[in-house]
Amino acid sequence: QVQLVESGGGLVQPGGSLSLSCAASGSIFSINDMGWYRQAPGKQRELVAAITNGGRTRYADSVKGRFTISRDNAKNTVYLQMNSLKPEDTAVYYCNAEGVRGTWYEPMRSIWGQGTQVTVSS
């Protein structure tokens, strides 16, 4: 059973930086795309950044130039480096993995981490 665990959230001042990590654990046969989503109170969950197994990336327009997504396939971990943070970035950040299989014969699944709070405030 593959699970995702996020870490690195916290409180930071506007203009500051924060780094998030998400590690997949359990029996892992394969993982395809991974990404970060966020959800602020009263708002829908939105894609922040995504990265394919081959390293192609996608970013929300609101974070381009400020956030960087990366992954270490050997460690089954995806990262999100957040710079020049704004109060609007405040949200619960969720890690997502798609095309997850614990064994070759299992169907592919999409799984989510439990979320980590990021608060940008002075």
Side-chain angles (χ1 to χ4, degrees), residues 16-64:
S17 298
L18 206 60
S19 182
L20 305 182
S21 298
C22 173
S25 63
S27 179
I28 302 172
F29 176 74
S30 65
I31 298 176
N32 292 336
D33 299 348
M34 301 186 76
W36 291 92
Y37 290 72
R38 67 186 181 188
Q39 187 166 27
K43 301 185 68 176
Q44 295 183 346
R45 185 174 298 185
E46 63 175 351
L47 174 68
V48 177
I51 184 168
T52 69
N53 195 36
R56 291 188 175 183
T57 59
R58 174 196 294 175
Y59 297 93
D61 289 341
S62 60
V63 307
K64 285 182 178 178

Side-chain angles (χ1 to χ4, degrees), residues 2 4 24 28-35 50-56 69-73 76-78 95-102 106-111:
V2 181
L4 301 176
I28 302 172
F29 176 74
S30 65
I31 298 176
N32 292 336
D33 299 348
M34 301 186 76
I51 184 168
T52 69
N53 195 36
R56 291 188 175 183
I69 188 170
S70 61
R71 66 190 290 173
D72 185 336
N73 290 341
N76 294 312
T77 301
V78 63
C95 179
N96 167 255
E98 298 182 350
V100 179
R101 292 192 293 175
E106 294 180 355
M108 294 184 182
R109 300 174 58 204
S110 295
I111 58 176

Side-chain angles (χ1 to χ4, degrees), residues 5 56 66 97:
V5 180
R56 291 188 175 183
R66 300 188 298 121

